[in-house]
Amino acid sequence: MPDFNPCIIIPVYKHGKACVSVVERLKKYNIQLILVDDGNGAENRSYLEKILLENSEFVDLVTLPKNQGKGGAFKAGIIRAHERGFSHAIQIDADGQHDERQIPFFLEKSAASPEKMICGYPVYDESAPAARKNGRKFANNWCKIVSLESGIKDSLCGFRIYPVEAAYDFVENHAFDFRMGFDIEIFVKLIWAGVKYEFYPVHVSYPSDGISNFRAVRDNARISWVFTRLFCGMILRLPLLIGRKIL
């Protein structure tokens, strides 16, 4: 498609070293990268500055003065993508968990259906913690309830392609959770706005020496609050959501 002009957005917090390897693997796809330094300390910032110095022809670095969380970092990245005229944004995590070899396939699907979100659902290897897999089942069931969509395979996977205009409208005009509830909230609210979706598998691994930004008590509480707000919003939108199903 002549107007299909994708970029990759990578929010980075405490994963500067891992991001070096991720960027190295992404080079072969010849796609512009937007790295978002989400208020990192000096050591992680130095890795990102090194990436920029060595790859300035295809890397753009957005620096946030304070840590804002994944949602805040994505907002900064999608604003930059909008400013630079990209049509679609691939979101991928900086820690190397996602199998980036799926990118060409996801881009093919996005180019064929540019109005849709193209979403990954995780296929885990043996490194995945059982608690993470069980927690996703809870989140996915609630996501189906608040969206009235039975076809949702995963609401938390950070491997997605968004139409930039739809995502930009969301971050500029809606309040949303800036941390671990972000992937859920943008997904549901874009569905409410009429954006359709497709799901495809992506392999996910958990490196034994990886650094997790997930804090069980804090982030599970935030996710529960996100679903509470989404449930209230769903009740208010029931006539519209049901009307779409009927039509």
Side-chain angles (χ1 to χ4, degrees):
M1 289 182 58
D3 298 328
F4 186 70
N5 181 26
C7 66
I8 299 175
I9 296 176
I10 309 179
V12 187
Y13 183 59
K14 295 184 179 179
H15 291 125
K17 184 177 181 180
C19 192
V20 173
S21 298
V22 171
V23 170
E24 192 64 30
R25 296 196 301 271
L26 292 175
K27 283 183 178 181
K28 60 180 174 287
Y29 301 115
N30 195 30
I31 301 173
Q32 182 73 36
L33 306 184
I34 300 176
L35 305 183
V36 183
D37 173 2
D38 189 16
N40 283 286
E43 181 180 355
N44 282 283
R45 192 183 312 121
S46 69
Y47 284 115
L48 299 180
E49 290 170 349
K50 182 174 184 291
I51 291 171
L52 178 63
L53 182 65
E54 295 178 354
N55 305 280
S56 59
E57 72 281 4
F58 79 103
V59 171
D60 190 354
L61 179 61
V62 179
T63 301
L64 302 178
K66 292 174 59 178
N67 175 249
Q68 296 188 29
K70 185 175 185 179
F74 180 85
K75 178 177 181 178
I78 206 70
I79 289 173
R80 180 61 60 86
H82 181 265
E83 291 171 347
R84 295 194 54 183
F86 292 106
S87 65
H88 291 75
I90 309 168
Q91 175 185 296
I92 187 171
D93 288 354
D95 56 8
Q97 290 185 10
H98 297 140
D99 182 2
E100 82 288 340
R101 292 174 296 179
Q102 292 294 97
I103 286 176
F105 175 80
F106 273 61
L107 287 174
E108 179 183 335
K109 295 300 181 181
S110 184
S113 302
E115 76 287 356
K116 294 181 180 179
M117 292 181 280
I118 306 299
C119 308
Y121 68 87
V123 176
Y124 294 111
D125 62 17
E126 63 281 357
S127 67
R132 286 290 183 90
K133 292 190 284 187
N134 293 333
R136 295 183 97 94
K137 294 177 184 177
F138 171 84
N140 293 336
N141 287 334
W142 267 104
C143 198
K144 292 175 184 178
I145 291 170
V146 298
S147 64
L148 298 189
E149 291 285 332
S150 61
I152 293 171
K153 293 182 179 292
D154 190 88
S155 59
L156 286 164
C157 185
F159 193 95
R160 289 179 186 162
I161 300 183
Y162 295 98
V164 166
E165 286 302 318
Y168 177 76
D169 179 73
F170 170 80
V171 301
E172 286 288 82
N173 297 299
H174 295 81
F176 57 92
D177 184 76
F178 266 32
R179 297 194 179 275
M180 293 299 181
F182 168 74
D183 288 320
I184 295 167
E185 192 154 15
I186 186 173
F187 180 63
V188 171
K189 288 187 175 178
L190 287 182
I191 289 174
W192 286 354
V195 179
K196 298 188 181 299
Y197 59 87
E198 293 178 7
F199 276 98
Y200 298 98
V202 60
H203 289 279
V204 175
S205 60
Y206 286 78
S208 59
D209 59 348
I211 298 171
S212 176
N213 292 322
F214 186 82
R215 298 295 177 263
V217 175
R218 179 198 69 184
D219 292 319
N220 282 324
R222 292 184 73 101
I223 289 171
S224 296
W225 176 236
V226 166
F227 278 123
T228 300
R229 291 190 286 103
L230 290 174
F231 182 80
C232 294
M234 179 269 291
I235 296 297
L236 294 174
R237 292 170 175 80
L238 266 179
L240 173 63
L241 297 176
I242 292 174
R244 284 181 184 163
K245 295 290 185 184
I246 295 172
L247 297 176

